[in-house]
Amino acid sequence: MSMAQNEHERMAELHLERGKRHFEQGEIKEAVASLTESFTFDPRRAETLYLLAEIYGAAGYIDPAVDLIQKSLREDYMNVSGWIMLANLYAQKGGAYLDLAMEQLNMAEGIDSNNSMLYYLRGNIMAQKGDTDKAIENLQKALELDSNNSYAKHDLEALQK
């Protein structure tokens, strides 16, 4: 590794850590600035891409968030949270993207089949597709894995009315 590469990695890490601190403190504009700076030093750092995707997704910028999380997953294929985030973004787009969302959940399940959010999202998507029985089954599984999953509780109550 050359000295310049080493320096780039150090700067990428520095800006990533700064971005995480801003993010945790709710300073979103500052977090995006620091993470974007980290990205310029290391455009393949999975964690930077993941956090940027999370921020863009939460702000409703679905397409840029999808692009960022896909890049992150190319760098860190085993990131279950990344696959779940991608599925969630597709689910928000709805329509034809629901099948794509299900594929991402299958990827996540292949890595960790005990993730409550995985089953919550699958239940949510099945409900959107009109398959109430499968939706309820998945939401119940989500609650078996995490009885405090408020999303699953909410969706399950709505479906059982």
Side-chain angles (χ1 to χ4, degrees), residues 12 15-16 19-20 22-23 27-72 79 85 89:
H15 289 290
L16 171 60
K20 284 199 278 195
H22 284 306
F23 183 62
E27 300 162 345
I28 302 306
K29 225 162 96 178
E30 294 84 352
V32 169
S34 291
L35 293 169
T36 302
E37 190 68 18
S38 174
F39 178 79
T40 61
F41 286 103
D42 183 358
R44 295 181 61 183
R45 188 173 290 243
E47 191 177 4
T48 303
L49 293 161
Y50 178 90
L51 277 172
L52 279 168
E54 191 173 352
I55 292 169
Y56 279 101
Y61 297 106
I62 305 299
D63 291 331
V66 165
D67 185 48
L68 287 160
I69 198 60
Q70 285 174 333
K71 287 177 180 162
S72 175
N79 181 355
M85 183 193 300
L89 292 166

Side-chain angles (χ1 to χ4, degrees), residues 2-147:
S2 73
M3 202 111 135
Q5 271 181 308
N6 207 358
E7 182 63 13
H8 273 228
E9 276 198 15
R10 203 178 65 71
M11 293 303 290
E13 184 67 27
L14 180 87
H15 289 290
L16 171 60
E17 291 307 315
R18 189 175 294 152
K20 284 199 278 195
R21 274 197 309 279
H22 284 306
F23 183 62
E24 285 161 9
Q25 293 165 358
E27 300 162 345
I28 302 306
K29 225 162 96 178
E30 294 84 352
V32 169
S34 291
L35 293 169
T36 302
E37 190 68 18
S38 174
F39 178 79
T40 61
F41 286 103
D42 183 358
R44 295 181 61 183
R45 188 173 290 243
E47 191 177 4
T48 303
L49 293 161
Y50 178 90
L51 277 172
L52 279 168
E54 191 173 352
I55 292 169
Y56 279 101
Y61 297 106
I62 305 299
D63 291 331
V66 165
D67 185 48
L68 287 160
I69 198 60
Q70 285 174 333
K71 287 177 180 162
S72 175
L73 287 165
R74 278 197 289 276
E75 301 304 324
D76 180 9
Y77 186 78
M78 298 302 284
N79 181 355
V80 174
S81 298
W83 290 110
I84 290 173
M85 183 193 300
L86 185 54
N88 188 16
L89 292 166
Y90 284 143
Q92 287 178 51
K93 288 177 75 100
Y97 288 95
L98 293 177
D99 291 333
L100 213 44
M102 291 298 269
E103 288 175 26
Q104 311 319 304
L105 293 175
N106 293 339
M107 297 297 284
E109 188 176 15
I111 299 166
D112 175 11
S113 61
N114 291 314
N115 188 305
S116 175
M117 287 307 285
L118 163 83
Y119 294 98
Y120 154 69
L121 261 178
R122 194 174 275 153
N124 179 287
I125 293 166
M126 295 316 281
Q128 286 188 59
K129 289 176 142 226
D131 190 338
T132 306
D133 292 342
K134 278 252 191 300
I136 289 171
E137 188 182 307
N138 278 286
L139 293 168
Q140 287 171 335
K141 173 82 174 167
L143 288 168
E144 277 171 36
L145 293 168
D146 175 8
S147 59

